Amino acid sequence: METNIKYANDLIDFLYESPTAFQAVRNIKAALLRKGFKQLHRGESWNLEKGGRYFTTKNASALVAFIVGTGEIEKDGFRIIAAHTDSPALKLKPSPEMLGAGNYLKLNVETYGGPILSTWMDRPLSLAGRVSLMSENPIRPDVRFINIKKPILIIPNLAIHLNRSVNEGKEFNKQKDMLPILRLVEETFDKDGYFKDLIANHLNVEPDKVLDFDLSLYEFEKGSIIGEKNEFISSGRIDDLSMVHAGIDALFNSQTRHSTNVMICFDNEEVGSETKQGAASPFLKDVLKRITWALNSEKDAFFRAKINSFGISADNAHAIHPNLPENYDPVLQPKINMGPVIKINANQKYTTDALSSATFEMLCNKAGVPVQKYVNKSDIAGGSTLGSIASTQLDIRMVDVGNPMLAMHSIRELSGVKDHFYMKQVFEEFYK
């Protein structure tokens, strides 16, 4: 259990230092460089060597890392793990300053993905993301990354005395109810350009250099291990940075094998993946083609490599809720700390079929890890994830899996300490 807790705390540190996809990829990139991986730039030629360790990024929010196998790429193929770097959030709009009643300065936001809005209320919040600055080349703006790391925002509830029905099911208006307070202002306060000045001050640049930004709010409080027996991980962004963390760590620990081991961290899963850095893009396919062409010049080598490849789409799953078991399938009810979950859907919202499910179950058996299965209750549609979307670009055998968790898409999610270590063990077995 001590090993499990140590590994869970490592995850919590990673989650805290990765409030947005941009920070997550920066942290992964730094770890890859420390482990001897070489960065490849997509606009340059690649010279790859068998046994070499490489990575490349896209949009600073998605990343592919891989270890080139020693075998024949067309015969030994790829072993791919896919996860995503983004999480539901509140994102700032341009020119976000808004003056409200009571001399409050608010910020104008919109929702990214499907957050549970009520969980964002009454919590100290901060800001992080990416800022675009003026440059000499208009095609390539200067880019800076920012994480304020200070609780500067809050979205207060209305007191129950002024809304007696608040506990009877409040519907949140995203434009009205979710605007965070930044500060109090004086009557002579000029709001125009205030936020740009604030950002410029943090970046130590002139305000007129700031052109635009991709900034999101996040809960300032760090995650923690909780429960009387230290069984649970409580934190934001467990979905899906926990799978990113386990996958990257498994890649670090893998030895060079005949197959080429690949870890892909997509962005924008929470909004449908149909972006240049999402699972519906050719990003992963293009990288795999370049690896194949660097090792085998035959025209059909990539198509042969695909046939001999396998992928694990890793995005978290739903654990049975002790207070609401009626929302789940009457038989298949995953439990926290009882092992990874194979996700199945007859309508192919998940890419799992009987063959790929069997492969993952055998991997779990070889790793000595318990395994569970999840199917939506038949009268609840449920969501989709990376596997089926990525399959539209890359038609290889693939399974959708994840660790069981509660409060998915809450600002504070809950998962199991044992499960996180279990998943890393299965990923390591897969890369063998």
mmCIF file of all heavy atoms in Angstrom, residues 5 16 35 70 76 85 109 111 123 129 131 138 159 162 187 191 238 256 264 286 307 319 360 381 405 423:
data_model
loop_
_atom_site.group_PDB
_atom_site.id
_atom_site.type_symbol
_atom_site.label_atom_id
_atom_site.label_comp_id
_atom_site.label_asym_id
_atom_site.label_seq_id
_atom_site.Cartn_x
_atom_site.Cartn_y
_atom_site.Cartn_z
ATOM 1 N N ILE A 5 0.431 4.518 -2.421
ATOM 2 C CA ILE A 5 0.232 5.885 -1.933
ATOM 3 C C ILE A 5 1.308 6.821 -2.486
ATOM 4 O O ILE A 5 1.016 7.955 -2.891
ATOM 5 C CB ILE A 5 0.220 5.902 -0.391
ATOM 6 C CG1 ILE A 5 -1.051 5.215 0.129
ATOM 7 C CG2 ILE A 5 0.308 7.331 0.139
ATOM 8 C CD1 ILE A 5 -1.122 5.091 1.633
ATOM 9 N N TYR A 16 -1.660 18.948 -9.970
ATOM 10 C CA TYR A 16 -1.599 20.318 -9.454
ATOM 11 C C TYR A 16 -0.765 21.216 -10.361
ATOM 12 O O TYR A 16 -1.082 22.395 -10.551
ATOM 13 C CB TYR A 16 -1.030 20.324 -8.037
ATOM 14 C CG TYR A 16 -1.056 21.686 -7.385
ATOM 15 C CD1 TYR A 16 -2.270 22.292 -7.060
ATOM 16 C CD2 TYR A 16 0.117 22.384 -7.119
ATOM 17 C CE1 TYR A 16 -2.306 23.546 -6.472
ATOM 18 C CE2 TYR A 16 0.092 23.636 -6.528
ATOM 19 C CZ TYR A 16 -1.121 24.213 -6.206
ATOM 20 O OH TYR A 16 -1.155 25.463 -5.633
ATOM 21 N N LYS A 35 14.467 12.090 -19.302
ATOM 22 C CA LYS A 35 14.618 10.649 -19.499
ATOM 23 C C LYS A 35 15.365 10.318 -20.792
ATOM 24 O O LYS A 35 15.460 9.149 -21.168
ATOM 25 C CB LYS A 35 13.242 9.975 -19.520
ATOM 26 C CG LYS A 35 12.519 9.985 -18.178
ATOM 27 C CD LYS A 35 13.174 9.048 -17.176
ATOM 28 C CE LYS A 35 12.363 8.967 -15.889
ATOM 29 N NZ LYS A 35 12.943 7.986 -14.928
ATOM 30 N N THR A 70 13.067 -2.655 -32.206
ATOM 31 C CA THR A 70 14.232 -3.226 -32.893
ATOM 32 C C THR A 70 13.839 -4.211 -33.982
ATOM 33 O O THR A 70 14.686 -4.662 -34.751
ATOM 34 C CB THR A 70 15.132 -3.954 -31.873
ATOM 35 O OG1 THR A 70 14.359 -4.975 -31.216
ATOM 36 C CG2 THR A 70 15.676 -2.979 -30.846
ATOM 37 N N ASP A 76 6.118 -6.169 -36.799
ATOM 38 C CA ASP A 76 5.947 -6.035 -35.352
ATOM 39 C C ASP A 76 5.024 -4.896 -34.950
ATOM 40 O O ASP A 76 4.511 -4.874 -33.836
ATOM 41 C CB ASP A 76 7.315 -5.868 -34.690
ATOM 42 C CG ASP A 76 8.191 -7.098 -34.862
ATOM 43 O OD1 ASP A 76 7.803 -8.165 -34.358
ATOM 44 O OD2 ASP A 76 9.243 -7.004 -35.517
ATOM 45 N N THR A 85 -5.413 15.271 -22.691
ATOM 46 C CA THR A 85 -4.837 16.246 -21.768
ATOM 47 C C THR A 85 -5.841 17.265 -21.252
ATOM 48 O O THR A 85 -5.537 18.002 -20.308
ATOM 49 C CB THR A 85 -3.710 17.023 -22.468
ATOM 50 O OG1 THR A 85 -4.240 17.661 -23.644
ATOM 51 C CG2 THR A 85 -2.568 16.091 -22.875
ATOM 52 N N VAL A 109 -16.858 34.537 -18.960
ATOM 53 C CA VAL A 109 -16.357 33.194 -19.255
ATOM 54 C C VAL A 109 -17.391 32.407 -20.059
ATOM 55 O O VAL A 109 -18.562 32.774 -20.120
ATOM 56 C CB VAL A 109 -16.018 32.408 -17.969
ATOM 57 C CG1 VAL A 109 -14.946 33.106 -17.154
ATOM 58 C CG2 VAL A 109 -17.274 32.164 -17.133
ATOM 59 N N THR A 111 -18.271 28.007 -20.958
ATOM 60 C CA THR A 111 -17.927 26.656 -20.519
ATOM 61 C C THR A 111 -17.173 25.915 -21.615
ATOM 62 O O THR A 111 -17.473 26.055 -22.803
ATOM 63 C CB THR A 111 -19.186 25.847 -20.150
ATOM 64 O OG1 THR A 111 -20.069 25.819 -21.268
ATOM 65 C CG2 THR A 111 -19.891 26.460 -18.955
ATOM 66 N N ARG A 123 -15.526 28.314 -4.461
ATOM 67 C CA ARG A 123 -14.174 27.746 -4.344
ATOM 68 C C ARG A 123 -13.150 28.780 -4.799
ATOM 69 O O ARG A 123 -13.339 29.441 -5.825
ATOM 70 C CB ARG A 123 -14.022 26.493 -5.200
ATOM 71 C CG ARG A 123 -14.842 25.311 -4.716
ATOM 72 C CD ARG A 123 -14.655 24.132 -5.652
ATOM 73 N NE ARG A 123 -15.520 23.007 -5.310
ATOM 74 C CZ ARG A 123 -15.142 21.962 -4.577
ATOM 75 N NH1 ARG A 123 -13.913 21.902 -4.117
ATOM 76 N NH2 ARG A 123 -15.980 20.984 -4.320
ATOM 77 N N GLY A 129 -2.867 28.980 -18.562
ATOM 78 C CA GLY A 129 -3.029 28.706 -19.978
ATOM 79 C C GLY A 129 -1.917 29.287 -20.817
ATOM 80 O O GLY A 129 -0.754 29.283 -20.423
ATOM 81 N N VAL A 131 -0.642 32.550 -23.646
ATOM 82 C CA VAL A 131 -0.818 33.931 -24.072
ATOM 83 C C VAL A 131 -0.038 34.158 -25.359
ATOM 84 O O VAL A 131 1.117 33.727 -25.480
ATOM 85 C CB VAL A 131 -0.346 34.918 -22.989
ATOM 86 C CG1 VAL A 131 -0.529 36.359 -23.449
ATOM 87 C CG2 VAL A 131 -1.082 34.673 -21.675
ATOM 88 N N PRO A 138 4.185 37.711 -38.254
ATOM 89 C CA PRO A 138 2.759 37.566 -37.914
ATOM 90 C C PRO A 138 2.272 36.118 -37.937
ATOM 91 O O PRO A 138 1.297 35.790 -37.241
ATOM 92 C CB PRO A 138 2.053 38.399 -38.997
ATOM 93 C CG PRO A 138 3.085 39.331 -39.507
ATOM 94 C CD PRO A 138 4.389 38.599 -39.406
ATOM 95 N N ALA A 159 -27.209 33.500 -1.340
ATOM 96 C CA ALA A 159 -27.598 32.984 -0.019
ATOM 97 C C ALA A 159 -28.970 32.316 -0.080
ATOM 98 O O ALA A 159 -29.870 32.750 -0.812
ATOM 99 C CB ALA A 159 -27.611 34.115 1.003
ATOM 100 N N LEU A 162 -32.189 34.238 0.105
ATOM 101 C CA LEU A 162 -32.672 34.959 -1.071
ATOM 102 C C LEU A 162 -33.107 34.020 -2.188
ATOM 103 O O LEU A 162 -33.571 34.460 -3.231
ATOM 104 C CB LEU A 162 -31.578 35.902 -1.590
ATOM 105 C CG LEU A 162 -30.995 36.872 -0.551
ATOM 106 C CD1 LEU A 162 -29.880 37.698 -1.168
ATOM 107 C CD2 LEU A 162 -32.093 37.790 -0.009
ATOM 108 N N GLU A 187 -15.130 53.961 -7.749
ATOM 109 C CA GLU A 187 -16.052 54.559 -8.705
ATOM 110 C C GLU A 187 -15.340 55.085 -9.942
ATOM 111 O O GLU A 187 -15.915 55.159 -11.024
ATOM 112 C CB GLU A 187 -16.842 55.681 -8.016
ATOM 113 C CG GLU A 187 -17.817 55.173 -6.969
ATOM 114 C CD GLU A 187 -18.660 56.284 -6.388
ATOM 115 O OE1 GLU A 187 -18.521 57.445 -6.863
ATOM 116 O OE2 GLU A 187 -19.448 56.015 -5.463
ATOM 117 N N LYS A 191 -12.221 49.899 -16.401
ATOM 118 C CA LYS A 191 -12.052 48.462 -16.578
ATOM 119 C C LYS A 191 -11.367 48.093 -17.890
ATOM 120 O O LYS A 191 -10.769 47.029 -18.009
ATOM 121 C CB LYS A 191 -13.414 47.754 -16.524
ATOM 122 C CG LYS A 191 -14.327 48.028 -17.718
ATOM 123 C CD LYS A 191 -15.603 47.230 -17.627
ATOM 124 C CE LYS A 191 -16.522 47.505 -18.804
ATOM 125 N NZ LYS A 191 -15.946 47.090 -20.103
ATOM 126 N N ILE A 238 -8.626 14.425 -12.735
ATOM 127 C CA ILE A 238 -8.290 12.999 -12.758
ATOM 128 C C ILE A 238 -8.671 12.412 -14.115
ATOM 129 O O ILE A 238 -7.947 11.587 -14.687
ATOM 130 C CB ILE A 238 -9.000 12.261 -11.603
ATOM 131 C CG1 ILE A 238 -8.416 12.710 -10.262
ATOM 132 C CG2 ILE A 238 -8.872 10.754 -11.763
ATOM 133 C CD1 ILE A 238 -9.143 12.142 -9.050
ATOM 134 N N THR A 256 13.372 -1.402 -24.773
ATOM 135 C CA THR A 256 13.234 -1.493 -26.223
ATOM 136 C C THR A 256 12.839 -2.913 -26.610
ATOM 137 O O THR A 256 13.493 -3.881 -26.219
ATOM 138 C CB THR A 256 14.546 -1.106 -26.918
ATOM 139 O OG1 THR A 256 14.931 0.196 -26.495
ATOM 140 C CG2 THR A 256 14.373 -1.108 -28.430
ATOM 141 N N ILE A 264 0.239 8.472 -26.949
ATOM 142 C CA ILE A 264 -0.346 9.664 -27.560
ATOM 143 C C ILE A 264 -1.245 10.373 -26.557
ATOM 144 O O ILE A 264 -2.119 9.751 -25.943
ATOM 145 C CB ILE A 264 -1.128 9.312 -28.850
ATOM 146 C CG1 ILE A 264 -1.944 10.501 -29.356
ATOM 147 C CG2 ILE A 264 -2.043 8.110 -28.642
ATOM 148 C CD1 ILE A 264 -1.152 11.608 -29.950
ATOM 149 N N ASP A 286 -0.200 10.509 -38.911
ATOM 150 C CA ASP A 286 0.947 11.096 -39.598
ATOM 151 C C ASP A 286 2.258 10.719 -38.917
ATOM 152 O O ASP A 286 3.259 10.433 -39.584
ATOM 153 C CB ASP A 286 0.807 12.617 -39.641
ATOM 154 C CG ASP A 286 -0.277 13.075 -40.608
ATOM 155 O OD1 ASP A 286 -0.797 12.232 -41.374
ATOM 156 O OD2 ASP A 286 -0.613 14.278 -40.592
ATOM 157 N N ILE A 307 -1.861 -3.595 -39.427
ATOM 158 C CA ILE A 307 -2.483 -4.901 -39.192
ATOM 159 C C ILE A 307 -1.872 -5.590 -37.978
ATOM 160 O O ILE A 307 -2.548 -6.338 -37.263
ATOM 161 C CB ILE A 307 -2.343 -5.796 -40.445
ATOM 162 C CG1 ILE A 307 -3.044 -5.149 -41.641
ATOM 163 C CG2 ILE A 307 -2.899 -7.187 -40.192
ATOM 164 C CD1 ILE A 307 -4.520 -4.916 -41.436
ATOM 165 N N ALA A 319 -17.564 4.465 -11.713
ATOM 166 C CA ALA A 319 -17.738 3.524 -10.608
ATOM 167 C C ALA A 319 -19.168 3.602 -10.093
ATOM 168 O O ALA A 319 -19.835 4.643 -10.199
ATOM 169 C CB ALA A 319 -16.757 3.842 -9.484
ATOM 170 N N PHE A 360 -7.135 -7.218 -23.652
ATOM 171 C CA PHE A 360 -6.863 -6.445 -22.441
ATOM 172 C C PHE A 360 -7.021 -7.295 -21.192
ATOM 173 O O PHE A 360 -6.239 -7.167 -20.241
ATOM 174 C CB PHE A 360 -7.782 -5.229 -22.368
ATOM 175 C CG PHE A 360 -7.415 -4.276 -21.260
ATOM 176 C CD1 PHE A 360 -6.361 -3.390 -21.425
ATOM 177 C CD2 PHE A 360 -8.099 -4.269 -20.055
ATOM 178 C CE1 PHE A 360 -5.992 -2.515 -20.405
ATOM 179 C CE2 PHE A 360 -7.750 -3.409 -19.029
ATOM 180 C CZ PHE A 360 -6.694 -2.524 -19.213
ATOM 181 N N ALA A 381 -27.960 7.083 -22.369
ATOM 182 C CA ALA A 381 -27.105 7.092 -23.564
ATOM 183 C C ALA A 381 -25.622 7.012 -23.229
ATOM 184 O O ALA A 381 -24.854 6.330 -23.900
ATOM 185 C CB ALA A 381 -27.389 8.344 -24.387
ATOM 186 N N MET A 405 -14.244 5.716 -11.355
ATOM 187 C CA MET A 405 -14.189 6.937 -10.557
ATOM 188 C C MET A 405 -15.597 7.474 -10.316
ATOM 189 O O MET A 405 -16.550 7.128 -11.023
ATOM 190 C CB MET A 405 -13.337 7.998 -11.266
ATOM 191 C CG MET A 405 -13.883 8.442 -12.615
ATOM 192 S SD MET A 405 -12.842 9.684 -13.429
ATOM 193 C CE MET A 405 -12.980 11.062 -12.313
ATOM 194 N N MET A 423 -3.347 0.308 -13.107
ATOM 195 C CA MET A 423 -3.336 0.663 -14.524
ATOM 196 C C MET A 423 -1.915 0.800 -15.044
ATOM 197 O O MET A 423 -1.603 0.377 -16.166
ATOM 198 C CB MET A 423 -4.120 1.953 -14.753
ATOM 199 C CG MET A 423 -4.343 2.278 -16.222
ATOM 200 S SD MET A 423 -5.355 1.060 -17.114
ATOM 201 C CE MET A 423 -7.012 1.627 -16.724
#
